[in-house]
Amino acid sequence: MGLNFLCRHGIFQLRTPWADGASYVTQCPIRPGQSYTYRFDVTGQEGTLWWHAHLGFLRATVYGALIIRPKHGQSAYPFAKPHKEIPILLGEWWNTSVVDIENWGLDFGVTPNISNGYSINGKPGDLYPCSQNDMYKIEVEHGKTYMLRIINTALNNQLFFKIANHKMTVVAIDAAYTDPYDTDIVVTAPGQTVDVLIKADQLVGLYYMAARTYMSIPPEFLFLLYDKTITRAIFAYKGSKSKIPVMPALPDSFDSPTAHKFHTNMTGLAGGPNWVPVPLHVDEHMFMTVGVNIEPCPKDATCRGPLGGRLSSSINNESFVLPQNASMLEAFYYGNRSGVYTTDFPDNPPLTFDYTNAYFSFEESLIYAPKSTKAKKLKFNATVEIVFQNTAFLAVMSHPIHFHGFNFHVLAQGIGNYDAVEDRKKFNFVNPQIRNTIAFPPGGWAVIRFQANNPGIWFVHCHLEEHMNVGMSMAFEVESGPTPSSTLPPPPSDLPKC
């Protein structure tokens, strides 16, 4: 789900999926000098989510964990209760204003400057000169089991995370329980959460927890700039006399096989708490290509992007533009979409071609995408199946696609172009992952399925902020259902005006 929604010049809504009795929240952006109090219910989910700002690069500094535990007296974890639960927020760090960084990239149509470092719970660690004596530290007792609630809050990077000499067991992703999955490494894309159990069963001592970039592009793109630094924190046993922590062996930043293994090997905990079976009847089929594009340089502008243009991005060759005068939800509620958005988002890309062939990376007949503000209309409770297909435009890479308002089942993932005959044989209808953000493989595809049981306007976007900012987004317009709990409520009478 993700408890956030695009809010610009108007209202937004918040509602939990899978449940008929969930409640709504509507609000405007928090104005300077003002404070607001809002109340909401979370039903049908347990685990780790997060909250964050949703206006450009501001989410680099405004975010936090949202932890949903089992309700007292009604349910329990589907595993032994850990001794302690610890949020681990992996973030990016800049030595200057993130707004200035964002505006510079937008002004010249290029990728914004990379971060100066990474952080664990806000602290970069001892490999950075600014924080050598200020590290995040966990103190553990030998023999005890701990839960780490890992959240990737970075703006533009997937991350490898590892703890020296320790194994982890994944038990939940995106606030949905999984079958226990043993691993010595976790890979997270921006917006994803992973809950792991770790037993303090090694020799009493000090062990580094460390994170570094996972670059999903091929190694031949080594010339591209990326943050090569490593953030570290300490996993410390009580009573340790050690002075120097043990360092884990992290994968190479271009180790896509390791990332792909992690992202694809997990399965959902069928029959566990809040489990939702895969809907078998499909009402809407969509095929969505995603990729980075080029926008022609506007007259009298300075553009430093490829082919003398500006960087852009798209879904199904439609590059999303935020409405400037009213919110989409407000226009939808009052039935006044004219001039705000249209409902003709395409079910398929305009052209069929060899999507993952690098030969077409700079093909000018394909690389440009028109700017638009489009939504796809859905009937209430319609089941939607989407094939996400990566393209090789500019560079082959993994795009973490995030859904507001819905969880979805991940039926299958693979490398190359999706084959509608052969790849359907790989669909998992028994215990697929349930997620709200999927980082499907670089040069590959993923198939998801969700039920449109949540009325309103819901944003779908790449969770790499640099790509969302230039158009890799779309929206679903979901009609209201037949009951009061499935009907979009009006804005509250005390809604702050923007």
Side-chain angles (χ1 to χ4, degrees):
M1 173 187 63
L3 296 182
N4 54 79
F5 189 73
L6 177 68
C7 182
R8 193 171 195 180
H9 307 299
I11 59 176
F12 77 91
Q13 74 177 63
L14 167 71
R15 188 174 184 237
T16 54
W18 311 127
D20 287 333
S23 63
Y24 294 91
V25 174
T26 58
Q27 72 173 49
C28 270
I30 297 173
R31 293 180 287 182
Q34 300 293 315
S35 64
Y36 305 104
T37 300
Y38 293 98
R39 178 181 177 182
F40 58 89
D41 299 325
V42 178
T43 59
Q45 285 190 290
E46 295 173 10
T48 306
L49 295 171
W50 66 306
W51 58 266
H52 60 84
H54 216 302
L55 184 60
F57 276 30
L58 285 179
R59 79 169 175 85
T61 60
V62 185
Y63 60 81
L66 177 63
I67 296 171
I68 311 163
R69 294 189 174 90
K71 194 169 183 178
H72 290 297
Q74 291 193 10
S75 62
Y77 293 128
F79 43 80
K81 185 179 179 180
H83 175 65
K84 190 175 182 180
E85 301 176 15
I86 304 164
I88 300 292
L89 280 70
L90 308 177
E92 283 182 281
W93 183 280
W94 277 266
N95 289 334
T96 188
S97 164
V98 292
V99 175
D100 291 343
I101 292 290
E102 177 185 23
N103 288 339
W104 180 86
L106 293 174
D107 286 345
F108 294 104
V110 296
T111 300
N113 287 338
I114 61 174
S115 57
N116 296 103
Y118 297 111
S119 64
I120 296 177
N121 286 359
K123 297 187 176 184
D126 61 349
L127 292 178
Y128 301 95
C130 63
S131 58
Q132 290 179 340
N133 299 314
D134 186 23
M135 296 184 67
Y136 181 72
K137 182 179 180 180
I138 296 173
E139 190 172 62
V140 300
E141 297 181 42
H142 193 275
K144 301 284 190 181
T145 297
Y146 297 81
M147 177 188 285
L148 304 185
R149 297 180 178 272
I150 304 166
I151 307 170
N152 186 337
T153 72
L155 282 183
N156 296 314
N157 284 288
Q158 296 194 52
L159 296 168
F160 289 119
F161 175 82
K162 200 168 185 179
I163 302 176
N165 293 5
H166 287 76
K167 294 282 188 179
M168 296 173 279
T169 300
V170 177
V171 292
I173 51 176
D174 294 357
Y177 290 117
T178 64
D179 289 320
Y181 175 61
D182 295 329
T183 179
D184 67 347
I185 192 160
V186 166
V187 190
T188 57
Q192 289 185 327
T193 71
V194 182
D195 294 347
V196 301
L197 299 178
I198 179 168
K199 187 172 184 179
D201 58 359
Q202 297 300 301
L203 294 176
V204 172
L206 303 179
Y207 300 86
Y208 276 121
M209 302 184 291
R212 77 179 319 167
T213 306
Y214 160 51
M215 288 289 286
S216 61
I217 62 174
E220 55 264 31
F221 288 87
L222 279 169
F223 63 89
L224 291 178
L225 294 177
Y226 67 99
D227 190 340
K228 300 178 177 65
T229 63
I230 295 173
T231 180
R232 301 197 295 198
I234 297 178
F235 194 79
Y237 283 72
K238 286 184 178 180
S240 171
K241 305 298 183 183
S242 301
K243 300 296 184 182
I244 301 176
V246 179
M247 179 65 183
L250 288 166
D252 182 83
S253 288
F254 293 86
D255 190 350
S256 283
T258 292
H260 184 60
K261 177 182 177 182
F262 180 85
H263 282 313
T264 58
N265 274 17
M266 291 176 291
T267 51
L269 186 61
N274 304 307
W275 171 254
V276 176
V278 181
L280 299 181
H281 172 77
V282 177
D283 302 293
E284 298 272 0
H285 289 271
M286 302 183 72
F287 188 99
M288 293 191 185
T289 53
V290 299
V292 182
N293 301 90
I294 301 173
E295 178 187 353
C297 190
K299 187 178 180 180
D300 299 325
T302 300
C303 300
R304 300 177 182 174
L307 303 181
R310 306 170 64 88
L311 282 177
S312 180
S313 62
S314 66
I315 300 178
N316 273 358
N317 207 49
E318 296 287 345
S319 186
F320 187 87
V321 179
L322 288 169
Q324 297 299 307
N325 299 317
S327 78
M328 295 176 71
L329 182 61
E330 191 173 19
F332 170 56
Y333 180 79
Y334 290 110
N336 186 22
R337 303 179 186 86
S338 178
V340 181
Y341 70 97
T342 60
T343 57
D344 56 345
F345 184 84
D347 289 343
N348 298 282
L351 294 173
T352 300
F353 59 98
D354 189 357
Y355 303 112
T356 58
N357 189 339
Y359 175 82
F360 297 109
S361 291
F362 289 89
E363 173 55 51
E364 294 195 52
S365 64
L366 300 172
I367 200 69
Y368 296 97
K371 296 292 183 181
S372 64
T373 308
K374 294 185 176 183
K376 163 72 175 177
K377 291 184 67 172
L378 295 175
K379 296 284 188 182
F380 181 78
N381 253 357
T383 296
V384 185
E385 181 178 291
I386 302 175
V387 177
F388 282 113
Q389 174 66 60
N390 223 317
T391 62
F393 291 158
L394 300 194
V396 174
M397 65 184 303
S398 173
H399 296 284
I401 300 297
H402 172 62
F403 275 53
H404 289 246
F406 302 99
N407 283 349
F408 50 78
H409 295 91
V410 182
L411 300 185
Q413 301 179 64
I415 304 296
N417 293 325
Y418 175 73
D419 186 313
V421 176
E422 294 301 318
D423 290 331
R424 291 192 74 84
K425 300 173 184 177
K426 305 171 186 176
F427 284 13
N428 178 359
F429 294 109
V430 177
N431 61 346
Q433 299 176 30
I434 293 176
R435 303 211 73 134
N436 63 51
T437 304
I438 180 169
F440 51 93
W445 53 268
V447 181
I448 69 161
R449 195 175 286 187
F450 74 98
Q451 194 165 16
N453 55 2
N454 199 354
I457 297 287
W458 297 106
F459 201 39
V460 175
H461 63 91
C462 180
H463 229 305
L464 301 179
E465 209 70 23
E466 62 187 6
H467 292 168
M468 187 194 80
N469 269 4
V470 292
M472 196 177 292
S473 311
M474 58 85 65
F476 285 109
E477 178 191 286
V478 182
E479 69 176 17
S480 289
T483 65
S485 65
S486 62
T487 301
L488 186 67
S493 59
D494 62 345
L495 177 73
K497 300 299 181 183
C498 299

